[in-house]
Amino acid sequence: MTFPVVGMVGGGQLARMTHEAGIPLGIRFKLLSDSPQDSAAQVVGEVVIGDYRDLDTLREFARGCDVITFDHEHVPIEHLRALEADGIPVRPGPDALVHAQDKGVMRARLRELGAPCPRNRIVADPADVTVFAEEVGGFPVILKTVRGGYDGKGVWFVRTPEEAADPFLAGVPVLAEEKVDFVRELAANIVRSPHGQAVAYPVVESRQVDGVCDTVIAPAPDLDEELAGQAQRLALTLAAELGVVGHLAVELFETADGRILVNEFAMRPHNSGHWTQDGAVTSQFANHVRAVLDLPLGDPRPRAPWTVMCNVLGGDYPDMYAAYLHCMARDPQLKIHMYGKDVKPGRKVGHVNTYGDDLADVRERARHAADYLRGTITE
Amino acid sequence: MTFPVVGMVGGGQLARMTHEAGIPLGIRFKLLSDSPQDSAAQVVGEVVIGDYRDLDTLREFARGCDVITFDHEHVPIEHLRALEADGIPVRPGPDALVHAQDKGVMRARLRELGAPCPRNRIVADPADVTVFAEEVGGFPVILKTVRGGYDGKGVWFVRTPEEAADPFLAGVPVLAEEKVDFVRELAANIVRSPHGQAVAYPVVESRQVDGVCDTVIAPAPDLDEELAGQAQRLALTLAAELGVVGHLAVELFETADGRILVNEFAMRPHNSGHWTQDGAVTSQFANHVRAVLDLPLGDPRPRAPWTVMCNVLGGDYPDMYAAYLHCMARDPQLKIHMYGKDVKPGRKVGHVNTYGDDLADVRERARHAADYLRGTITE
C-alpha cells in the first residue's frame, strides 16, 4: 500500500487529537516533540524528540514524510521555506503561516483585503499609544506584541498612559487596537485543501474567562443568519487569499450594532473547534488531516442541534481521574477529552463535550463536568 | 495525576481501535505485540514486542500495568491465572475466557444455563459424526474444532460421512452441531464492568460471505421487539453468569419459527460492534476500556436511525489509498477505518461505516465504498 506519512511538528494536545483522528485513515503519523512526556508523544508510535527551531532537526525529521503540518505556529518561517526548497510539502505553507505568526503582518493584510477589523496600528512607544488612544476615542486600548502571544499572553488591556510601558519591554513591535464594545465572541472555522476545496463549520459562540477560552456553543445561539453567512464567507475568503491549507479558525467580535470584526486567527485545529469531535459529522482534526493530504474533505455539518464544549483547567485538586467516576455516572453521554498533562492551576488539561436537543441541559452538563473535574464543585 | 495504565495483549486492529478510543480518556496504553508492523503497533506509543504464549514475557509486560486486556482470546488460561496470582487484574479473567477459548466448555456451560443452542455434542470420531447426524435428522452437520477457530477457520460444513474425517486430523476435540435452518444471523453486544454494571447495544443483523462477516446493519431491520429484548437479556445473563468483564458479542441464529440460538461468542470488541464507532453515543471500544478500568459505562444508544458497516477485504487492487479520492468525494459522510495492514486477497484490512435516516441509502453507500476500496467496482 502507498499510505502517506504525515509529519506533525509539535507535541501538544492538538497533535494528540490529530493523531487520534488520523488512525482510522490508516496513514502513518510521525511526531517531532520537545519531550517524551508531551501530550501527543505519549500516544504516538513514531516520535522524534528534538527542537523545531533547529533546521537540521527539522530536515532530518522531514525526511520520509510526505507532508509536514503543525501543532503550533512557532516554526521559523525561513525553516519552512528551507523545507519547501528540499521538496517537502509544508501545509499550511510559510506564505500563509506568516500571517498567524505576526499580528502586524496579519492586520496589514486584512486591511488590504477589506476585512472588518478593530481600528489598529503599530505603535512606536508609550507616547504613541496615547496618540492612538485619542484617534480611537480614548483609553482603554488593547496592546499586543506582534509575535509570541497566545491564550491571553502577550496581550495588555491598557487603561492609562502609564500602563502603556510594559508591552514595549520585550523589544518586539507592538500593535495597538481599539477596545471593541462587543456583545460576544464568535469563531468561524473552515478547512481548506490544496485543491481549493473548503468546508465551513457552523459559526460558534466562544466565551472567554481571564483571556482563556472557557466555553464554546455550537452553533452560536440566536445568531442572525445573514451575519453567520458573512462570517463563514469571510473565513473562506481569508483562507483562499492567504493560501491557507488545513484548519483556519477566525475569532470574531460581534458588536451591538450587528457587525463582525476579526479579532485573531489560527492556522491549525483550534480550541473553538473541539466541539466537532463529538458534534460534527467530520471533526476539525479529521478534516485537517484530509486537507494536508489533499483528500476530499468530510461533511462539516453538526450531528446534534446543540453541542457545548467546556475546557477543563487545572485546579487545586490534582487527581482528575478519580473525578471520572462521578462525571461518567452522572452523565453517560458525556465526552471527556484529557490531554495527559500534569495538572497545574489554570493550565488547559482537557475539555468535555456534550450534545443534545435542549441547549440549557447541554450547557449544564458540560459546565458541571468541567467544574467537577477541576474540583471547584464536589457534587 | 493517577491515570491508569491499560496493558493490551495482541496487536491487531481491535487493539488499534481500542487505543484510538482510549486516547481521550488520558490513560496510558501499553501494547504487547508480535511485531512492530502489527496493526496496533504502528500507532501506539508504548509497544513491547514479544510472544504472548511465553509467561515470562507476559509477566514482564504486565509489570506496571494496572489491568490487562486482550485483542484476542488465545492467551493460555494458565498464564492468565499466573498473572492474577501476581496481583494483576486480568479482564476478562480466565474463568470467563475459557468459554471463549474452548467451544466444548462453552456449549456445556450454555446447556447448564438453559441458553438456546443448536443441538450439539462432542463427537469421538468420523463414525460418531454419522450417529450424531442421525440424532439431529441427518446430514449436513457442522463440525468445529473446540479450539483455535475464527472467521470460518476450524469450521466444516459436512454433507456426507466421508467428509467427516478432516476435522479430526488436528488432534483437537471436535464438536458437532446441527445445521440450523436460520433466516438470518444476529449479534447481541453488551459491555459489563467488574461492578456488574452492563449496557446493551441494539441487536444487529450480521451478514456473512464465505464464513466471514461482510455487512452489519444496526439495528437489525424488522426484528421483533420481544425477540430483540430476549437476545439482549440472554447476552446480559451470559455475561453475568460467566463473569465477563468488557465487551461480549453473542452471535445468534434467528430461525424461521422466531427463535434465537447461540452460534458463537467473543469476549472482546467484535466486528459486529464496529458500527458503534460512528453510530452509537459510546463505541464498543470506549466502553470496553471503561469496563476494564471499572469506570461507569457510556450510553450505548444509536445516534442515527440506521448505521451500516461493511468490511473491506483485500482484493487484487493493492493501492487502497488511491481509492480514497473517489470514496471521499462521492460520500462526504463516509467513515473509513483502515487497519494499516498489507492487502492480501480476502484479508480484512478495514471497514467503512455509514449512517442516516434511509436504510436503502445507508446500505448502498457502505456497499459502494467497500467494493470500491477492494477494487471490485471502479465507478
Side-chain angles (χ1 to χ4, degrees):
Chain A
M1 288 222 237
T2 57
F3 281 74
V5 181
V6 173
M8 169 65 78
V9 177
Q13 64 262 29
L14 301 177
R16 181 185 176 103
M17 294 185 278
T18 305
H19 172 53
E20 181 193 337
I23 290 175
L25 292 182
I27 57 166
R28 273 178 57 205
F29 192 83
K30 226 176 119 179
L31 185 74
L32 178 63
S33 197
D34 292 337
S35 134
Q37 278 75 49
D38 283 352
S39 178
Q42 297 170 24
V43 299
V44 171
E46 217 169 332
V47 182
V48 174
I49 304 301
D51 186 347
Y52 63 82
R53 294 165 299 190
D54 178 65
L55 180 55
D56 290 339
T57 301
L58 276 175
R59 279 196 155 128
E60 177 63 28
F61 172 73
R63 199 171 302 156
C65 291
D66 293 290
V67 59
I68 295 288
T69 189
F70 310 95
D71 172 73
H72 57 67
E73 292 137 339
H74 309 318
V75 181
I77 292 296
E78 61 273 21
H79 290 2
L80 300 180
R81 294 203 197 284
L83 292 180
E84 284 198 327
D86 291 348
I88 308 283
V90 172
R91 293 173 178 163
D95 292 335
L97 266 174
V98 67
H99 299 91
Q101 288 194 356
D102 189 306
K103 296 185 205 299
V105 174
M106 187 260 272
R107 285 297 182 203
R109 186 82 171 105
L110 290 177
R111 196 172 307 127
E112 238 175 71
L113 294 170
C117 291
R119 281 173 290 175
N120 67 85
R121 70 171 170 84
I122 298 291
V123 282
D125 52 38
D128 195 20
V129 174
T130 302
V131 176
F132 175 78
E134 281 163 14
E135 291 165 12
V136 299
F139 284 100
V141 299
I142 308 296
L143 297 185
K144 298 175 175 178
T145 51
V146 297
R147 285 189 295 277
Y150 66 97
D151 274 356
K153 295 176 186 68
V155 178
W156 289 262
F157 182 79
V158 171
R159 280 155 299 194
T160 64
E162 291 70 35
E163 289 181 355
D166 276 4
F168 293 91
L169 298 178
V172 175
V174 174
L175 180 76
E177 298 184 354
E178 69 172 317
K179 168 75 183 71
V180 175
D181 187 25
F182 61 86
V183 291
R184 61 174 168 177
E185 295 189 58
L186 303 172
N189 291 330
I190 69 101
V191 181
R192 183 174 174 275
S193 77
H195 257 77
Q197 189 197 8
V199 292
Y201 287 99
V203 175
V204 298
E205 176 175 337
S206 167
R207 303 191 165 203
Q208 324 288 317
V209 173
D210 301 331
V212 179
C213 177
D214 177 76
T215 301
V216 170
I217 305 171
D222 303 318
L223 179 61
D224 177 75
E225 233 174 85
E226 170 53 36
L227 204 61
Q230 198 180 315
Q232 289 181 313
R233 283 190 301 275
L234 175 62
L236 291 167
T237 302
L238 290 182
E241 290 288 344
L242 306 183
V244 176
V245 169
H247 190 265
L248 171 71
V250 182
E251 298 182 87
L252 300 159
F253 296 126
E254 181 182 358
T255 64
D257 57 350
R259 291 175 303 136
I260 47 170
L261 301 173
V262 177
N263 177 22
E264 302 273 358
F265 55 59
M267 292 182 192
R268 49 170 171 75
H270 189 256
N271 204 161
S272 64
H274 288 358
W275 70 273
T276 61
Q277 292 176 302
D278 302 297
V281 174
T282 314
S283 78
Q284 65 167 344
F285 300 103
N287 261 336
H288 184 78
V289 173
R290 285 160 78 145
V292 302
L293 290 170
D294 206 6
L295 289 169
L297 301 176
D299 191 335
R301 282 177 296 179
R303 285 195 75 172
W306 298 104
T307 305
V308 171
M309 188 256 9
C310 282
N311 277 326
V312 177
L313 302 189
D316 296 329
Y317 180 66
D319 187 5
M320 288 204 183
Y321 184 71
Y324 280 18
L325 281 179
H326 168 85
C327 293
M328 289 178 169
R330 183 181 194 263
D331 183 1
Q333 295 176 41
L334 177 70
K335 297 296 177 182
I336 295 177
H337 298 266
M338 296 295 284
Y339 308 152
K341 291 175 160 184
D342 288 331
V343 172
K344 293 178 191 168
R347 187 185 201 193
K348 274 187 206 170
V349 294
H351 67 272
V352 294
N353 285 333
T354 53
Y355 56 82
D357 299 333
D358 175 359
L359 178 55
D361 172 65
V362 173
R363 287 187 66 172
E364 189 279 332
R365 287 161 48 214
R367 181 77 270 146
H368 179 94
D371 288 347
Y372 194 94
L373 287 165
R374 186 175 186 171
T376 52
I377 58 173
T378 55
E379 62 178 357
Chain B
M1 290 223 237
T2 57
F3 281 74
V5 181
V6 173
M8 170 66 78
V9 177
Q13 65 262 30
L14 301 176
R16 181 185 176 104
M17 294 185 277
T18 304
H19 172 54
E20 180 193 339
I23 290 174
L25 292 181
I27 57 165
R28 274 177 58 206
F29 192 85
K30 229 176 117 178
L31 184 75
L32 178 63
S33 197
D34 292 337
S35 134
Q37 277 76 49
D38 283 351
S39 177
Q42 297 170 25
V43 299
V44 171
E46 217 168 331
V47 182
V48 174
I49 303 302
D51 185 347
Y52 63 83
R53 292 166 300 189
D54 177 65
L55 180 55
D56 290 340
T57 301
L58 276 175
R59 278 197 156 125
E60 177 63 28
F61 172 72
R63 200 171 300 157
C65 290
D66 293 290
V67 59
I68 296 290
T69 189
F70 310 95
D71 172 74
H72 57 67
E73 293 137 338
H74 309 317
V75 181
I77 291 295
E78 62 273 20
H79 291 2
L80 301 179
R81 295 203 197 283
L83 293 180
E84 283 197 328
D86 292 348
I88 308 284
V90 171
R91 293 173 179 163
D95 292 336
L97 266 174
V98 66
H99 300 92
Q101 288 195 355
D102 189 307
K103 294 185 206 298
V105 174
M106 187 261 272
R107 285 297 182 203
R109 185 82 171 106
L110 290 177
R111 197 172 305 128
E112 239 176 72
L113 294 170
C117 291
R119 280 174 289 174
N120 68 87
R121 69 171 172 84
I122 298 291
V123 282
D125 52 38
D128 196 19
V129 175
T130 302
V131 176
F132 175 79
E134 281 162 16
E135 290 164 14
V136 298
F139 283 99
V141 299
I142 308 295
L143 297 185
K144 298 176 176 177
T145 52
V146 297
R147 285 189 296 277
Y150 66 97
D151 274 356
K153 294 177 187 68
V155 178
W156 289 261
F157 182 80
V158 171
R159 281 156 299 194
T160 63
E162 292 67 38
E163 287 181 357
D166 277 2
F168 292 90
L169 297 178
V172 175
V174 174
L175 180 75
E177 298 184 353
E178 69 173 315
K179 168 74 184 72
V180 175
D181 187 25
F182 61 86
V183 291
R184 62 175 166 177
E185 294 189 58
L186 304 172
N189 290 331
I190 68 103
V191 181
R192 184 173 174 275
S193 78
H195 257 75
Q197 190 197 5
V199 293
Y201 287 99
V203 175
V204 299
E205 176 175 336
S206 168
R207 303 189 168 207
Q208 324 289 316
V209 173
D210 300 331
V212 178
C213 176
D214 177 76
T215 301
V216 169
I217 306 171
D222 303 319
L223 180 60
D224 177 75
E225 234 174 83
E226 169 53 36
L227 204 61
Q230 197 180 315
Q232 289 181 313
R233 282 191 301 276
L234 174 63
L236 291 167
T237 302
L238 290 182
E241 291 287 345
L242 305 182
V244 176
V245 169
H247 190 266
L248 172 72
V250 182
E251 298 183 87
L252 300 159
F253 296 125
E254 183 183 355
T255 64
D257 57 351
R259 292 174 303 136
I260 47 170
L261 301 173
V262 177
N263 177 21
E264 302 273 358
F265 55 58
M267 293 182 191
R268 48 168 173 75
H270 188 255
N271 204 160
S272 64
H274 289 358
W275 69 275
T276 61
Q277 293 176 301
D278 301 297
V281 175
T282 315
S283 78
Q284 64 166 347
F285 300 103
N287 262 335
H288 184 78
V289 173
R290 287 161 79 144
V292 302
L293 290 170
D294 207 6
L295 289 168
L297 301 176
D299 191 335
R301 281 177 297 179
R303 286 195 74 172
W306 298 104
T307 304
V308 171
M309 190 255 10
C310 282
N311 277 325
V312 177
L313 303 189
D316 297 329
Y317 181 64
D319 186 6
M320 287 203 184
Y321 184 71
Y324 279 19
L325 281 179
H326 168 85
C327 292
M328 290 178 169
R330 182 181 195 262
D331 182 1
Q333 295 175 42
L334 178 69
K335 298 296 177 180
I336 295 177
H337 298 265
M338 296 295 283
Y339 308 153
K341 291 176 161 184
D342 287 333
V343 171
K344 293 178 192 170
R347 187 186 201 191
K348 275 188 205 169
V349 294
H351 67 272
V352 295
N353 286 332
T354 53
Y355 56 83
D357 299 333
D358 175 358
L359 178 57
D361 173 64
V362 173
R363 287 186 64 171
E364 189 280 333
R365 288 160 49 216
R367 181 78 270 148
H368 180 95
D371 288 347
Y372 194 95
L373 286 165
R374 186 175 187 171
T376 52
I377 58 173
T378 56
E379 62 178 357

